[in-house]
Amino acid sequence: MKKVFVISLSILFLAGFFKPTLSQDKILNQLEKLFNACDKPGRPGGFAVAVLKDGRVIFKKAYGFANFENKIPFTTTSVVNYASVAKQFTGFAIARLIQEGKLHMEDDIRDYLSEIPDFGHKITIGHLLHHTSGIRDWVALVKISGRYENDVITNDFIMKLIKHQKELNFKPGEQFQYSNNGYFLLAEIISRVTGKSFCEWTQENIFKLLHMDNTRFIGDYREIIMDRADCYKADISGDYLNCPSHKEGYGSSSLFSTLEDMIKWVQNFESRAVGDDKLWKMMLEEGILNDSTKVDYGFGLELGKRYGQRSFGHGGSWCGALSQVSYYPDLKLATILISNRDPSGVYVDEKVLNLFLDYKAEEVAGKNNQLHVQKDLEIDPALLQEYTGIYKMQNWIIGVEKADNDLIIHQPWGEQYKVYPESDSQFYHKDVDLKFSFLRNNNNEIDRMIYTFKGSDNPPFQKLPISASQYPEISEMCGEYTCQELQTTYTLQIQDDHLIAAHLQNENVLLIRIDQDYYQGDQWWFKVLKFERDENGGIKGFRLNADSNNIQNLLFTRIRSTEKSG
């Protein structure tokens, strides 16, 4: 397939700002090599990147396709959903209203949203901002209920999911747990306090003032958006498929913008053309838990350090759209990425930072170019079958599946990808410095796996037994279980000597016995089951944790016991 080169390129040498010394020339040259190495000609989708120093663009470039089928190029003006990058704009709006005296951090959200259930604990504006409210996240709830990310997910449906919650994940302020629902509710509060829709308020008070003319939140997934890029997402075999989105959920997501417009927002981090110093100081305030532990999350911004450098920013991901905005205030350095494919194959933020911290520039780009150049080997399918199973290291569980003649890795957070053999027992990821090595015991059986990331080995993952016949009490778990909160039902049954959770619309979930009454599932949205018993010792239901604990203790009640089935 014909290679697609640069669609938009800007490398600026600015008088009085960036004089072309040898080291600076080297940085620009390495930026060029670094991003070029991420280009994957012939792969559906594309991406655009920008690097800013001292408030000015020094590098800007776009690659690939906005629409692969029609060969429409991806440009710096292609419009893509920035997903959770949206949260900083919602945080900005809340900061402005606090500054105007229209809101306060300690306000009870039910003062503005009376339809939200009274959970017996006060939930404040501050709890929503810092992800400490305890409200369950809608993303996993949608999947548990039987819907897919491509299904229609309206603002009304998200609000219903919140209104139907019976209890919180935890008491407000006790934990930090990321929740899109928090920022969705903040958008609703902004609308009710200002008397304008959230989309209108942000348009008038942020985007218009910064001349972000191609940026807006959408309130209806059917809206027509000019120059919108189609999105693509890889399946478990690594083949990219169309991934249309029919989601709303503004405030937490659904921010459509371009690289050009996002540059204007990032420049505002320094210029403060919109929002004064006091407001931006508020934006960067950490959250504080009830026990005085600090939370590295501000007003829609992740706070932290990299290589000793203060940083703030946010990433986003939804239905094939990937984004990242990062800013290093002490260096006055910023990076922006937007892509319409997942995975994007662009892992550069750390590498760009290294360049400006005077690391060896040649190595930064060189490593990216030299990842896994070895040729693929043909592996006996019977050997691949030996590697399949569930591997556990502490609370980290990885699934290994054979699909046709490929080996597929399933990570606990939902990511799944094909790995390639470099020997009979060692496999690698083509785009990330990641390897998996399978080890045998004295009986020549596969019993361990080593997970190696960037050359560093994790402790061995132990292969778990998953046959139901090894644990006779597993048949006790069989039956139908319903979740009143989601009005959905799962059937636990034994199939092919495995305990599975079956749902009318969702794929089957393999359940692995970890201990008595404690099981783990092989899907990110159905991860940990803790069974509960009545006073006679009978199973009465289970509590579900999922999505990296964004869902905690979701109650399923047994409504019918069933016999073991094959």
Side-chain angles (χ1 to χ4, degrees), residues 116 227 238 358 363:
I116 300 302
D227 299 317
D358 295 324
E363 294 183 5

Side-chain angles (χ1 to χ4, degrees), residues 128-337:
L128 297 184
L129 282 166
H130 299 299
H131 296 295
T132 60
S133 69
I135 296 175
R136 291 175 177 139
D137 192 26
W138 66 260
V139 176
L141 293 178
V142 164
K143 180 59 179 167
I144 296 167
S145 71
R147 297 197 183 198
Y148 290 79
E149 66 176 351
N150 304 106
D151 290 343
V152 173
I153 304 170
T154 64
N155 291 330
D156 286 342
F157 179 56
I158 293 172
M159 184 60 83
K160 285 181 180 178
L161 286 175
I162 299 172
K163 289 163 62 176
H164 278 84
Q165 293 191 23
K166 305 299 182 185
E167 53 192 353
L168 298 172
N169 279 336
F170 49 82
K171 183 179 177 181
E174 282 192 347
Q175 298 179 30
F176 169 85
Q177 201 64 52
Y178 192 83
S179 174
N180 288 286
N181 276 341
Y183 275 76
F184 171 75
L185 291 176
L186 288 172
E188 288 293 316
I189 290 171
I190 291 165
S191 177
R192 298 186 190 188
V193 168
T194 64
K196 296 183 178 182
S197 74
F198 176 70
C199 300
E200 289 173 336
W201 192 95
T202 51
Q203 199 69 38
E204 293 175 7
N205 292 275
I206 303 176
F207 306 138
K208 185 177 180 180
L209 297 179
L210 289 173
H211 303 288
M212 298 173 68
D213 300 328
N214 296 301
T215 300
R216 73 178 193 258
F217 281 99
I218 65 164
D220 188 327
Y221 71 93
R222 298 168 296 181
E223 289 182 30
I224 294 173
I225 300 176
M226 303 304 293
D227 299 317
R228 186 201 313 224
D230 293 326
C231 288
Y232 307 91
K233 190 171 184 178
D235 63 13
I236 60 174
S237 297
D239 297 324
Y240 283 83
L241 303 173
N242 276 300
C243 194
S245 174
H246 306 98
K247 175 183 67 69
E248 294 170 2
Y250 55 30
S252 68
S253 185
S254 294
L255 172 71
F256 285 80
S257 186
T258 68
L259 182 71
E260 297 287 355
D261 274 7
M262 199 56 63
I263 287 171
K264 297 173 183 177
W265 171 249
V266 170
Q267 288 173 326
N268 191 60
F269 293 166
E270 294 179 23
S271 70
R272 309 290 166 88
V274 175
D276 59 19
D277 289 346
K278 289 183 179 180
L279 185 147
W280 280 98
K281 182 180 179 181
M282 191 189 315
M283 288 277 290
L284 300 176
E285 288 178 354
E286 298 171 311
I288 300 177
L289 298 180
N290 296 341
D291 64 2
S292 299
T293 301
K294 290 185 178 180
V295 172
D296 293 334
Y297 198 98
F299 283 45
L301 290 166
E302 295 173 332
L303 313 174
K305 282 190 174 183
R306 293 187 182 182
Y307 291 92
Q309 297 296 319
R310 291 189 303 128
S311 68
F312 63 82
H314 216 289
S317 172
W318 185 260
C319 269
L322 292 175
S323 59
Q324 180 68 44
V325 172
S326 300
Y327 183 68
Y328 303 91
D330 297 330
L331 295 174
K332 293 189 177 180
L333 173 69
T335 60
I336 307 170
L337 165 69

Side-chain angles (χ1 to χ4, degrees), residues 372-384:
H372 310 306
V373 296
Q374 55 266 65
K375 295 180 180 179
D376 293 340
L377 304 175
E378 293 293 332
I379 302 296
D380 183 349
L383 187 57
L384 293 178

Side-chain angles (χ1 to χ4, degrees), residues 474-491:
I474 284 182
S475 61
E476 213 183 339
M477 311 300 171
C478 294
E480 291 183 4
Y481 297 79
T482 190
C483 176
Q484 183 182 3
E485 186 171 310
L486 296 178
Q487 299 178 12
T488 198
T489 299
Y490 281 79
T491 301

Side-chain angles (χ1 to χ4, degrees), residues 35 65 120 132 146 262 267 390 452 486 555 566:
F35 290 111
F65 298 101
T132 60
M262 199 56 63
Q267 288 173 326
I390 303 297
T452 305
L486 296 178
L555 178 61

Side-chain angles (χ1 to χ4, degrees), residues 533-538 540:
R533 296 178 180 269
D534 58 28
E535 60 274 12
N536 298 316
K540 65 177 183 178

Side-chain angles (χ1 to χ4, degrees), residues 371-477:
L371 273 181
H372 310 306
V373 296
Q374 55 266 65
K375 295 180 180 179
D376 293 340
L377 304 175
E378 293 293 332
I379 302 296
D380 183 349
L383 187 57
L384 293 178
Q385 188 63 45
E386 285 190 71
Y387 299 144
T388 62
I390 303 297
Y391 296 81
K392 180 176 184 291
M393 189 272 291
Q394 297 178 0
N395 292 322
W396 188 356
I397 287 185
I398 293 177
V400 180
E401 174 192 9
K402 177 180 173 290
D404 297 325
N405 289 324
D406 297 323
L407 207 61
I408 308 299
I409 300 295
H410 296 264
Q411 292 284 10
W413 50 86
E415 186 180 9
Q416 49 193 13
Y417 44 79
K418 177 180 175 181
V419 289
Y420 299 82
E422 64 179 18
S423 73
D424 282 349
S425 60
Q426 193 171 71
F427 296 75
Y428 66 91
H429 191 296
K430 274 193 171 179
D431 294 322
V432 185
D433 191 0
L434 184 60
K435 293 183 179 182
F436 299 85
S437 305
F438 296 91
L439 306 177
R440 296 180 181 273
N441 59 21
N442 293 333
N443 296 322
N444 202 35
E445 300 167 330
I446 301 297
D447 71 338
R448 288 160 294 153
M449 179 184 72
I450 301 294
Y451 177 99
T452 305
F453 181 61
K454 293 186 176 180
S456 178
D457 292 344
N458 282 278
F461 284 68
Q462 302 297 320
K463 191 174 185 180
L464 299 178
I466 59 176
S467 298
S469 56
Q470 293 180 265
Y471 303 103
E473 72 272 18
I474 284 182
S475 61
E476 213 183 339
M477 311 300 171

